[in-house]
Amino acid sequence: MMNELGYRWVSGGFAAICLGLLLGGTAFGMGLSGVVTTPEGNPIGDADVWVTQDHEVQHQKTGASGKFAVKDLQVGPAELVAWKDGWSLGGHFGPLSADADIKVVLQRTGQIRLRIVSNTFFPVPGASVKTMLINDQLLVSPPDLAPAGFAPIRASDQGLLVIPNLPQGGFIKLVVGHPDYADSTVAYLPVREEQQEIVLVPGIKLRGRVAHKGRGVAGARVAVRQVGAGSARETSDLVSDAEGYFSVKLTAGVYQVMASHRDYATQGPLSVTMVEGQDPTVELSLETPRFLRGTVLGPDNHGLAGVQVVYRAGEMVSATALSQADGGIVLKVAGSEGTLTVLPPPGLMTAALPNVPVKLGEEQDVKIEAIALKRLPEVSGTVLDDEGQPVAGALVSSHDFETPLLALTNEAGAFQLTLGTMPDKKKVLLRVEHPLRFLDRKLEVDLDRTKPLKVTLAPFQPDLAERPLLPADKELADLRQAPAPPLEGADWFNGAPLTLEALRGKVVVLHFWAGFDDSAPGAGRLQEVQALHAALRTVDDVVFIGVHDASSTAAEVTTFVQRFNVQFPVMRDADPYKTFTSYGIVYLPQTVLIDKKGELRYFQVEGRLLELIKALRREG
């Protein structure tokens, strides 16, 4: 049976970044097989297939039937890349916990043309692509694949860098590097022929050494991440030389640096502040390991492979491992006590506490009790109004998830919330709100005692107070109580073009978004707006309009609208960001409410979007 590899990035700080560095107790013997085809399903023979684990690559060619089979893989992240001349790169990346059989579809090919320049706008010959993430599905690391026949992607003497063999209409995220400059991370680039420019800056040199009891450790992996500007991100992944030394160039900022090696226990990350004019030096210590062993059991009480566990000494992550085929885990840790955190796969939760206190004392090898997992419960129930009548279209939302869980009640007032991943605690805070009246109910649900709920709503006063302004909100704040700027769109989707003038007498919900924004706030807000559009589909005085940023083409926006199943009208902003600029939109997501007189009223809508819409409807 064919099934595609899925992947879930693990949240929780440095553990996510160092997963590939800190795996312990791995065992070889799994296989990854499949077939490479065209979009029409025809097999592609003689295609190159690369499979990478922990920077080690296996390479083979598909047979005439398009099939491949790679053996001797371990539990852990795996990158599969397939390609044949005339077709785009294809593949998957994600955790491998058992034998897998997958289908790889290669698409029609496109390319990206980049000009790599310095901060003084001179070309940078020899700049190269270090990693690229294609369509959020395929991770390609050219330096790892190059020894196995993958062509390096480097800039010419004129700084021209062409990335070929990309899926038409897709997008990539990439890291461009050069020994004399700091790495440059580009969050989103659409696959199009127009030449685009990337600027590299000289950077500040960070030198370091990885040591154990004062002696340098060769072949240690060093992960460097920048913190403080949005979500933390990995900047570099290095390997120490024969004497344990490493170096990297970074831009100014605060970084965390962490070293690991299979033969040693890892200390927590070291914080380093990079300042112009200073080239700091750090020493990263590795410790003699102490072994922590255990077993992860699935709902059937058998060992479960591929479950991530994280060991923290204080607040610092010092070890991470994935359970093996028999459910066994082995972590190499330092110190005498810490906390073991279990991160169950989608659909499962821990039967007991997700955080297990561990005291090793003087022992060098400690076995803990088996960690049992069970299926995540479904939260269901019925919603009644203050007169005991079922409420259709009530919004049920979680308030303590990074990306909220959302559901609407049906005609009988019934709802069902299915949890995809385990929350940080065993209790979930829900809010249930009437779609038309000022009735709601907040309640806490114990995930260990889930029975169908009977939720009776009660009156509440809407929260209409102004919030403290962020510096980026000033332009929007200046527009309050004034006629909203007109909509200037290049293209419209899901309907004919709309104007605010023609929508006088209606409440307008303007949602500024971008399909490539895969952040938790971006995904959560889009889901909320979609749910409210569905909840208010029976009223005629509320209109939802999505305003997509202008950097994407019409074809790309069409893909995003289809991918996220957006049902309300969407406008692609006119270049150069005319509507974004007239509203002062400088970050995403941003949702703006316009009253029935056409005046901009609210934009600080977090946690109260539906009640603000209802308040504007009430104004008449």
Side-chain angles (χ1 to χ4, degrees):
M1 174 180 291
M2 292 289 184
N3 67 321
E4 296 194 5
L5 286 177
Y7 190 83
R8 178 172 67 102
W9 282 111
V10 179
S11 61
F14 218 53
I17 291 169
C18 296
L19 173 61
L21 308 189
L22 302 177
L23 292 177
T26 54
F28 290 83
M30 289 183 299
L32 182 58
S33 60
V35 61
V36 180
T37 76
T38 68
E40 295 76 25
N42 299 319
I44 299 179
D46 201 38
D48 288 282
V49 175
W50 297 269
V51 175
T52 307
Q53 278 198 320
D54 198 19
H55 293 263
E56 296 182 0
V57 183
Q58 295 189 56
H59 172 251
Q60 63 179 239
K61 294 272 193 177
T62 60
S65 62
K67 293 184 178 181
F68 63 90
V70 180
K71 300 178 181 179
D72 297 327
L73 298 174
Q74 60 182 337
V75 171
E79 304 166 16
L80 185 151
V81 179
W83 173 73
K84 185 175 180 179
D85 189 25
W87 295 94
S88 72
L89 293 164
H92 304 272
F93 77 110
L96 186 67
S97 58
D99 290 342
D101 193 33
I102 68 173
K103 180 179 180 180
V104 180
V105 179
L106 304 189
Q107 306 292 334
R108 309 301 173 189
T109 187
Q111 66 178 20
I112 286 178
R113 295 169 55 85
L114 303 174
R115 184 169 180 264
I116 314 300
V117 298
S118 68
N119 58 326
T120 55
F121 301 104
F122 284 95
V124 181
S128 64
V129 174
K130 299 179 73 172
T131 62
M132 54 184 178
L133 178 61
I134 303 172
N135 292 344
D136 282 335
Q137 296 179 342
L138 171 60
L139 183 64
V140 182
S141 304
D144 286 345
L145 302 182
F150 190 92
I153 306 174
R154 293 189 178 277
S156 68
D157 290 345
Q158 293 74 40
L160 180 63
L161 189 153
V162 178
I163 306 177
N165 310 318
L166 298 174
Q168 289 182 0
F171 64 94
I172 68 171
K173 304 173 185 179
L174 75 161
V175 176
V176 176
H178 188 280
D180 296 334
Y181 297 88
D183 289 351
S184 177
T185 301
V186 183
Y188 168 83
L189 279 177
V191 178
R192 58 174 73 154
E193 292 293 332
E194 295 88 346
Q195 183 170 295
Q196 302 167 76
E197 194 168 88
I198 293 179
V199 178
L200 300 184
V201 298
I204 309 158
K205 193 166 209 176
L206 173 67
R207 296 178 175 88
R209 181 172 178 256
V210 182
H212 171 63
K213 294 183 178 181
R215 298 183 62 180
V217 176
R221 297 274 300 281
V222 180
V224 182
R225 72 162 185 172
Q226 186 175 14
V227 298
S231 59
R233 62 181 178 85
E234 187 172 6
T235 301
S236 297
D237 184 3
L238 315 168
V239 179
S240 63
D241 66 16
E243 296 179 314
Y245 290 100
F246 66 90
S247 66
V248 63
K249 285 202 169 184
L250 306 168
T251 56
V254 179
Y255 294 80
Q256 287 188 334
V257 188
M258 188 173 181
S260 66
H261 191 283
R262 290 185 179 276
D263 297 334
Y264 301 97
T266 298
Q267 293 281 52
L270 181 67
S271 181
V272 180
T273 301
M274 305 297 292
V275 180
E276 294 287 350
Q278 300 179 15
D279 291 342
T281 301
V282 298
E283 177 143 325
L284 304 174
S285 295
L286 297 176
E287 301 295 321
T288 300
R290 306 171 78 178
F291 294 92
L292 182 62
R293 305 177 192 272
T295 305
V296 179
L297 301 178
D300 58 1
N301 209 36
H302 290 97
L304 184 64
V307 178
Q308 188 184 1
V309 291
V310 177
Y311 183 82
R312 287 182 174 86
E315 295 299 318
M316 297 184 301
V317 172
S318 63
T320 298
L322 292 176
S323 60
Q324 299 302 296
D326 60 356
I329 53 172
V330 181
L331 296 102
K332 295 174 182 177
V333 304
S336 61
E337 61 181 68
T339 303
L340 189 69
T341 300
V342 184
L343 301 172
L348 298 179
M349 64 182 290
T350 53
L353 295 174
N355 300 313
V356 181
V358 176
K359 291 189 177 181
L360 291 87
E362 300 299 321
E363 297 183 52
Q364 297 298 310
D365 201 316
V366 175
K367 184 175 178 62
I368 62 173
E369 292 185 10
I371 301 167
L373 303 183
K374 64 181 182 180
R375 301 194 186 284
L376 277 165
E378 293 181 340
V379 180
S380 62
T382 303
V383 178
L384 308 175
D385 65 16
D386 52 347
E387 297 178 350
Q389 298 301 310
V391 179
L395 179 67
V396 184
S397 59
S398 65
H399 278 232
D400 46 5
F401 281 64
E402 188 176 26
T403 301
L405 298 170
L406 298 166
L408 295 177
T409 57
N410 62 19
E411 294 298 323
F415 71 90
Q416 181 174 295
L417 278 177
T418 301
L419 281 71
T421 57
M422 184 180 73
D424 294 334
K425 50 189 178 181
K426 292 295 186 75
K427 293 184 178 181
V428 177
L429 180 63
L430 299 181
R431 183 185 185 189
V432 185
E433 186 174 0
H434 197 290
L436 306 177
R437 301 171 57 194
F438 290 111
L439 301 174
D440 79 344
R441 172 86 180 277
K442 297 181 178 70
L443 65 158
E444 193 174 58
V445 179
D446 190 333
L447 295 181
D448 283 329
R449 299 179 179 86
T450 54
K451 295 181 179 180
L453 304 170
K454 185 177 180 179
V455 183
T456 300
L457 306 182
F460 75 96
Q461 290 298 317
D463 177 8
L464 308 180
E466 292 185 7
R467 301 284 195 263
L469 291 176
L470 299 173
D473 290 335
K474 185 179 184 307
E475 289 187 57
L476 260 174
D478 291 342
L479 295 173
R480 284 188 297 201
Q481 306 294 333
L487 304 178
E488 300 182 72
D491 304 281
W492 283 82
F493 311 85
N494 292 343
L498 299 172
T499 67
L500 296 182
E501 183 66 31
L503 295 175
R504 291 287 178 89
K506 300 179 186 291
V507 176
V508 179
V509 182
L510 280 187
H511 180 57
F512 292 85
W513 68 297
F516 54 81
D517 175 18
D518 57 0
S519 67
R525 180 66 61 77
L526 180 60
Q527 291 173 20
E528 181 183 16
V529 173
Q530 289 178 288
L532 294 184
H533 174 255
L536 299 174
R537 65 186 182 279
T538 60
V539 304
D540 60 4
D541 62 346
V542 181
V543 176
F544 290 80
I545 300 175
V547 182
H548 196 283
D549 97 320
S551 69
S552 300
T553 66
E556 290 163 355
V557 176
T558 297
T559 299
F560 293 142
V561 169
Q562 294 172 349
R563 178 186 302 170
F564 299 112
N565 194 29
V566 178
Q567 299 296 311
F568 49 81
V570 172
M571 181 192 83
R572 184 172 74 92
D573 199 5
D575 218 10
Y577 301 93
K578 288 188 176 180
T579 309
F580 270 62
T581 300
S582 62
Y583 278 82
I585 305 299
V586 296
Y587 63 88
L588 295 175
Q590 185 68 265
T591 306
V592 173
L593 298 183
I594 299 169
D595 67 17
K596 295 184 177 183
K597 296 182 293 183
E599 295 181 354
L600 192 152
R601 294 289 297 279
Y602 299 107
F603 58 87
Q604 298 161 309
V605 302
E606 289 77 8
R608 56 174 184 163
L609 179 54
L610 178 53
E611 58 192 274
L612 291 176
I613 293 172
K614 290 186 290 191
L616 293 180
R617 292 189 68 216
R618 176 183 281 186
E619 291 181 359

Short mmCIF file of all heavy atoms in Angstrom, two decimals, residues 334-382:
data_model
loop_
_atom_site.label_atom_id
_atom_site.label_comp_id
_atom_site.label_asym_id
_atom_site.label_seq_id
_atom_site.Cartn_x
_atom_site.Cartn_y
_atom_site.Cartn_z
N ALA A 334 23.74 14.26 30.82
CA ALA A 334 24.71 14.73 31.80
C ALA A 334 23.94 15.22 33.03
O ALA A 334 22.76 15.57 32.94
CB ALA A 334 25.56 15.86 31.22
N GLY A 335 24.62 15.24 34.18
CA GLY A 335 23.98 15.72 35.40
C GLY A 335 23.26 14.62 36.14
O GLY A 335 23.12 13.50 35.67
N SER A 336 22.77 14.96 37.35
CA SER A 336 22.17 13.96 38.22
C SER A 336 20.65 13.97 38.19
O SER A 336 20.03 13.03 38.69
CB SER A 336 22.64 14.18 39.66
OG SER A 336 22.25 15.47 40.12
N GLU A 337 20.02 14.99 37.63
CA GLU A 337 18.57 15.02 37.56
C GLU A 337 18.10 15.91 36.43
O GLU A 337 18.83 16.79 35.96
CB GLU A 337 17.95 15.46 38.88
CG GLU A 337 18.34 16.86 39.33
CD GLU A 337 17.69 17.19 40.67
OE1 GLU A 337 18.05 16.57 41.69
OE2 GLU A 337 16.80 18.07 40.67
N GLY A 338 16.87 15.66 35.99
CA GLY A 338 16.31 16.44 34.90
C GLY A 338 14.86 16.05 34.67
O GLY A 338 14.22 15.41 35.52
N THR A 339 14.35 16.41 33.51
CA THR A 339 12.95 16.14 33.17
C THR A 339 12.90 15.56 31.77
O THR A 339 13.50 16.10 30.84
CB THR A 339 12.10 17.42 33.22
OG1 THR A 339 12.19 18.00 34.53
CG2 THR A 339 10.64 17.11 32.92
N LEU A 340 12.17 14.46 31.63
CA LEU A 340 11.98 13.82 30.34
C LEU A 340 10.61 14.22 29.81
O LEU A 340 9.59 13.98 30.46
CB LEU A 340 12.07 12.30 30.47
CG LEU A 340 12.11 11.50 29.17
CD1 LEU A 340 13.41 11.75 28.44
CD2 LEU A 340 11.94 10.02 29.46
N THR A 341 10.58 14.85 28.63
CA THR A 341 9.33 15.29 28.02
C THR A 341 9.03 14.42 26.81
O THR A 341 9.90 14.22 25.95
CB THR A 341 9.41 16.76 27.59
OG1 THR A 341 9.67 17.57 28.74
CG2 THR A 341 8.10 17.22 26.95
N VAL A 342 7.82 13.90 26.75
CA VAL A 342 7.39 13.04 25.66
C VAL A 342 6.57 13.87 24.68
O VAL A 342 5.66 14.59 25.08
CB VAL A 342 6.56 11.85 26.18
CG1 VAL A 342 6.19 10.91 25.04
CG2 VAL A 342 7.31 11.12 27.27
N LEU A 343 6.90 13.77 23.39
CA LEU A 343 6.18 14.51 22.34
C LEU A 343 5.49 13.48 21.45
O LEU A 343 6.06 13.02 20.47
CB LEU A 343 7.15 15.37 21.54
CG LEU A 343 7.94 16.40 22.35
CD1 LEU A 343 9.00 17.05 21.51
CD2 LEU A 343 7.01 17.44 22.95
N PRO A 344 4.25 13.10 21.79
CA PRO A 344 3.58 12.02 21.04
C PRO A 344 3.31 12.42 19.60
O PRO A 344 3.18 13.61 19.28
CB PRO A 344 2.26 11.84 21.80
CG PRO A 344 2.47 12.48 23.14
CD PRO A 344 3.43 13.60 22.90
N PRO A 345 3.20 11.44 18.72
CA PRO A 345 2.84 11.73 17.32
C PRO A 345 1.38 12.17 17.24
O PRO A 345 0.62 12.04 18.21
CB PRO A 345 3.06 10.38 16.62
CG PRO A 345 2.94 9.36 17.70
CD PRO A 345 3.44 10.01 18.95
N PRO A 346 0.96 12.71 16.09
CA PRO A 346 -0.42 13.16 15.94
C PRO A 346 -1.42 12.06 16.30
O PRO A 346 -1.24 10.89 15.95
CB PRO A 346 -0.51 13.54 14.46
CG PRO A 346 0.88 13.91 14.09
CD PRO A 346 1.76 13.00 14.89
N GLY A 347 -2.46 12.46 17.03
CA GLY A 347 -3.53 11.54 17.39
C GLY A 347 -3.33 10.84 18.72
O GLY A 347 -4.24 10.16 19.19
N LEU A 348 -2.16 11.03 19.37
CA LEU A 348 -1.88 10.35 20.63
C LEU A 348 -1.50 11.34 21.71
O LEU A 348 -1.06 12.46 21.42
CB LEU A 348 -0.76 9.33 20.45
CG LEU A 348 -1.00 8.18 19.47
CD1 LEU A 348 0.23 7.29 19.40
CD2 LEU A 348 -2.23 7.37 19.85
N MET A 349 -1.66 10.92 22.95
CA MET A 349 -1.25 11.71 24.11
C MET A 349 -0.69 10.75 25.16
O MET A 349 -0.89 9.54 25.08
CB MET A 349 -2.43 12.50 24.67
CG MET A 349 -3.55 11.64 25.24
SD MET A 349 -4.97 12.59 25.84
CE MET A 349 -4.26 13.36 27.29
N THR A 350 0.01 11.30 26.14
CA THR A 350 0.54 10.46 27.21
C THR A 350 -0.59 10.08 28.15
O THR A 350 -1.48 10.87 28.44
CB THR A 350 1.63 11.21 27.99
OG1 THR A 350 1.13 12.47 28.43
CG2 THR A 350 2.86 11.44 27.13
N ALA A 351 -0.53 8.84 28.64
CA ALA A 351 -1.55 8.39 29.59
C ALA A 351 -1.34 9.03 30.95
O ALA A 351 -2.30 9.24 31.70
CB ALA A 351 -1.51 6.87 29.71
N ALA A 352 -0.10 9.35 31.30
CA ALA A 352 0.20 10.03 32.56
C ALA A 352 0.75 11.41 32.23
O ALA A 352 0.40 12.00 31.22
CB ALA A 352 1.18 9.19 33.37
N LEU A 353 1.64 11.92 33.06
CA LEU A 353 2.19 13.25 32.84
C LEU A 353 3.08 13.27 31.61
O LEU A 353 3.88 12.35 31.39
CB LEU A 353 3.01 13.69 34.06
CG LEU A 353 2.24 13.88 35.37
CD1 LEU A 353 3.22 14.17 36.50
CD2 LEU A 353 1.24 15.03 35.24
N PRO A 354 3.01 14.34 30.78
CA PRO A 354 3.92 14.43 29.63
C PRO A 354 5.36 14.72 30.04
O PRO A 354 6.28 14.43 29.30
CB PRO A 354 3.33 15.58 28.81
CG PRO A 354 2.58 16.41 29.80
CD PRO A 354 2.05 15.46 30.83
N ASN A 355 5.54 15.29 31.24
CA ASN A 355 6.87 15.59 31.75
C ASN A 355 7.18 14.66 32.92
O ASN A 355 6.49 14.68 33.94
CB ASN A 355 6.97 17.05 32.20
CG ASN A 355 6.69 18.00 31.05
OD1 ASN A 355 7.22 17.85 29.97
ND2 ASN A 355 5.83 18.99 31.29
N VAL A 356 8.21 13.84 32.76
CA VAL A 356 8.55 12.83 33.77
C VAL A 356 9.81 13.27 34.52
O VAL A 356 10.89 13.36 33.91
CB VAL A 356 8.80 11.46 33.09
CG1 VAL A 356 9.13 10.41 34.15
CG2 VAL A 356 7.60 11.05 32.26
N PRO A 357 9.72 13.56 35.83
CA PRO A 357 10.93 13.90 36.58
C PRO A 357 11.87 12.70 36.66
O PRO A 357 11.43 11.56 36.86
CB PRO A 357 10.39 14.27 37.97
CG PRO A 357 8.92 14.51 37.77
CD PRO A 357 8.51 13.63 36.64
N VAL A 358 13.17 12.94 36.49
CA VAL A 358 14.16 11.87 36.50
C VAL A 358 15.27 12.24 37.48
O VAL A 358 15.81 13.35 37.43
CB VAL A 358 14.76 11.64 35.10
CG1 VAL A 358 15.85 10.58 35.15
CG2 VAL A 358 13.67 11.24 34.12
N LYS A 359 15.60 11.30 38.39
CA LYS A 359 16.74 11.47 39.29
C LYS A 359 17.69 10.30 39.10
O LYS A 359 17.34 9.15 39.38
CB LYS A 359 16.25 11.56 40.74
CG LYS A 359 15.49 12.84 41.04
CD LYS A 359 15.21 13.00 42.53
CE LYS A 359 14.50 14.32 42.80
NZ LYS A 359 14.24 14.53 44.25
N LEU A 360 18.88 10.60 38.60
CA LEU A 360 19.85 9.55 38.32
C LEU A 360 20.73 9.24 39.52
O LEU A 360 21.32 8.16 39.58
CB LEU A 360 20.73 9.93 37.13
CG LEU A 360 20.04 9.98 35.76
CD1 LEU A 360 19.40 11.33 35.50
CD2 LEU A 360 21.02 9.66 34.66
N GLY A 361 20.84 10.20 40.47
CA GLY A 361 21.73 9.98 41.61
C GLY A 361 23.15 9.76 41.14
O GLY A 361 23.67 10.49 40.30
N GLU A 362 23.78 8.70 41.66
CA GLU A 362 25.16 8.37 41.27
C GLU A 362 25.22 7.31 40.19
O GLU A 362 26.31 6.93 39.74
CB GLU A 362 25.94 7.89 42.51
CG GLU A 362 26.03 8.92 43.62
CD GLU A 362 26.74 10.19 43.15
OE1 GLU A 362 27.72 10.07 42.39
OE2 GLU A 362 26.32 11.29 43.54
N GLU A 363 24.06 6.80 39.77
CA GLU A 363 24.04 5.72 38.79
C GLU A 363 24.43 6.22 37.40
O GLU A 363 24.10 7.34 37.01
CB GLU A 363 22.65 5.08 38.74
CG GLU A 363 22.22 4.43 40.05
CD GLU A 363 20.88 3.74 39.91
OE1 GLU A 363 20.74 2.93 38.98
OE2 GLU A 363 19.98 4.02 40.73
N GLN A 364 25.10 5.34 36.67
CA GLN A 364 25.51 5.68 35.31
C GLN A 364 24.54 5.16 34.26
O GLN A 364 24.55 5.61 33.12
CB GLN A 364 26.90 5.09 35.02
CG GLN A 364 27.99 5.65 35.91
CD GLN A 364 28.16 7.14 35.73
OE1 GLN A 364 28.29 7.62 34.61
NE2 GLN A 364 28.15 7.87 36.84
N ASP A 365 23.69 4.22 34.66
CA ASP A 365 22.75 3.61 33.71
C ASP A 365 21.42 3.44 34.44
O ASP A 365 21.31 2.63 35.37
CB ASP A 365 23.29 2.26 33.23
CG ASP A 365 22.65 1.84 31.91
OD1 ASP A 365 21.42 1.98 31.78
OD2 ASP A 365 23.38 1.36 31.03
N VAL A 366 20.39 4.20 34.03
CA VAL A 366 19.12 4.24 34.75
C VAL A 366 17.99 3.84 33.81
O VAL A 366 17.92 4.32 32.67
CB VAL A 366 18.84 5.64 35.33
CG1 VAL A 366 17.46 5.70 35.96
CG2 VAL A 366 19.91 6.00 36.34
N LYS A 367 17.12 2.96 34.28
CA LYS A 367 15.95 2.55 33.50
C LYS A 367 14.71 3.14 34.16
O LYS A 367 14.52 3.01 35.37
CB LYS A 367 15.85 1.03 33.43
CG LYS A 367 14.71 0.53 32.54
CD LYS A 367 14.75 -0.97 32.41
CE LYS A 367 13.60 -1.51 31.58
NZ LYS A 367 13.62 -1.02 30.20
N ILE A 368 13.86 3.79 33.36
CA ILE A 368 12.63 4.38 33.88
C ILE A 368 11.44 3.50 33.49
O ILE A 368 11.54 2.63 32.63
CB ILE A 368 12.42 5.81 33.35
CG1 ILE A 368 12.30 5.79 31.82
CG2 ILE A 368 13.55 6.72 33.79
CD1 ILE A 368 11.92 7.13 31.22
N GLU A 369 10.31 3.73 34.15
CA GLU A 369 9.11 2.97 33.84
C GLU A 369 8.64 3.25 32.42
O GLU A 369 8.91 4.30 31.84
CB GLU A 369 7.99 3.34 34.82
CG GLU A 369 8.25 2.90 36.25
CD GLU A 369 7.05 3.19 37.14
OE1 GLU A 369 5.98 3.56 36.60
OE2 GLU A 369 7.19 3.06 38.37
N ALA A 370 7.94 2.28 31.86
CA ALA A 370 7.43 2.43 30.49
C ALA A 370 6.51 3.65 30.40
O ALA A 370 5.74 3.95 31.31
CB ALA A 370 6.68 1.17 30.08
N ILE A 371 6.60 4.35 29.27
CA ILE A 371 5.76 5.52 29.01
C ILE A 371 4.62 5.09 28.10
O ILE A 371 4.84 4.70 26.95
CB ILE A 371 6.59 6.64 28.35
CG1 ILE A 371 7.77 7.03 29.25
CG2 ILE A 371 5.72 7.84 28.03
CD1 ILE A 371 8.80 7.87 28.56
N ALA A 372 3.42 5.14 28.61
CA ALA A 372 2.25 4.67 27.85
C ALA A 372 1.57 5.84 27.14
O ALA A 372 1.42 6.92 27.71
CB ALA A 372 1.26 3.99 28.79
N LEU A 373 1.17 5.60 25.90
CA LEU A 373 0.42 6.58 25.12
C LEU A 373 -0.99 6.07 24.89
O LEU A 373 -1.22 4.86 24.83
CB LEU A 373 1.10 6.85 23.78
CG LEU A 373 2.55 7.34 23.81
CD1 LEU A 373 3.04 7.62 22.40
CD2 LEU A 373 2.69 8.59 24.67
N LYS A 374 -1.91 6.99 24.75
CA LYS A 374 -3.29 6.63 24.43
C LYS A 374 -3.80 7.59 23.37
O LYS A 374 -3.18 8.62 23.09
CB LYS A 374 -4.18 6.68 25.67
CG LYS A 374 -4.31 8.06 26.30
CD LYS A 374 -5.20 8.01 27.53
CE LYS A 374 -5.38 9.39 28.14
NZ LYS A 374 -6.24 9.34 29.36
N ARG A 375 -4.94 7.25 22.79
CA ARG A 375 -5.49 8.08 21.73
C ARG A 375 -6.05 9.38 22.29
O ARG A 375 -6.63 9.40 23.38
CB ARG A 375 -6.58 7.32 20.96
CG ARG A 375 -6.06 6.03 20.35
CD ARG A 375 -7.00 5.46 19.32
NE ARG A 375 -6.52 4.16 18.87
CZ ARG A 375 -5.51 3.98 18.04
NH1 ARG A 375 -4.88 5.04 17.54
NH2 ARG A 375 -5.12 2.77 17.68
N LEU A 376 -5.86 10.45 21.53
CA LEU A 376 -6.43 11.73 21.93
C LEU A 376 -7.95 11.65 21.89
O LEU A 376 -8.53 11.08 20.96
CB LEU A 376 -5.96 12.84 20.99
CG LEU A 376 -4.59 13.45 21.29
CD1 LEU A 376 -4.11 14.25 20.09
CD2 LEU A 376 -4.64 14.33 22.52
N PRO A 377 -8.61 12.21 22.89
CA PRO A 377 -10.07 12.15 22.89
C PRO A 377 -10.67 13.18 21.94
O PRO A 377 -10.00 14.13 21.52
CB PRO A 377 -10.42 12.50 24.34
CG PRO A 377 -9.30 13.41 24.76
CD PRO A 377 -8.08 12.88 24.07
N GLU A 378 -11.90 12.98 21.60
CA GLU A 378 -12.67 13.99 20.88
C GLU A 378 -13.52 14.74 21.89
O GLU A 378 -14.12 14.13 22.78
CB GLU A 378 -13.55 13.34 19.81
CG GLU A 378 -12.78 12.73 18.68
CD GLU A 378 -13.68 12.12 17.63
OE1 GLU A 378 -14.86 11.83 17.94
OE2 GLU A 378 -13.21 11.93 16.49
N VAL A 379 -13.55 16.05 21.76
CA VAL A 379 -14.37 16.88 22.62
C VAL A 379 -15.66 17.18 21.86
O VAL A 379 -15.62 17.80 20.79
CB VAL A 379 -13.66 18.18 23.01
CG1 VAL A 379 -14.54 19.03 23.92
CG2 VAL A 379 -12.33 17.87 23.70
N SER A 380 -16.77 16.75 22.39
CA SER A 380 -18.05 16.93 21.69
C SER A 380 -19.10 17.43 22.67
O SER A 380 -18.91 17.40 23.89
CB SER A 380 -18.51 15.62 21.06
OG SER A 380 -18.72 14.64 22.06
N GLY A 381 -20.21 17.88 22.13
CA GLY A 381 -21.28 18.34 22.99
C GLY A 381 -22.38 19.03 22.22
O GLY A 381 -22.38 19.03 20.97
N THR A 382 -23.28 19.65 22.95
CA THR A 382 -24.41 20.38 22.38
C THR A 382 -24.46 21.76 23.01
O THR A 382 -24.23 21.92 24.22
CB THR A 382 -25.73 19.64 22.67
OG1 THR A 382 -25.64 18.31 22.14
CG2 THR A 382 -26.92 20.35 22.01
#
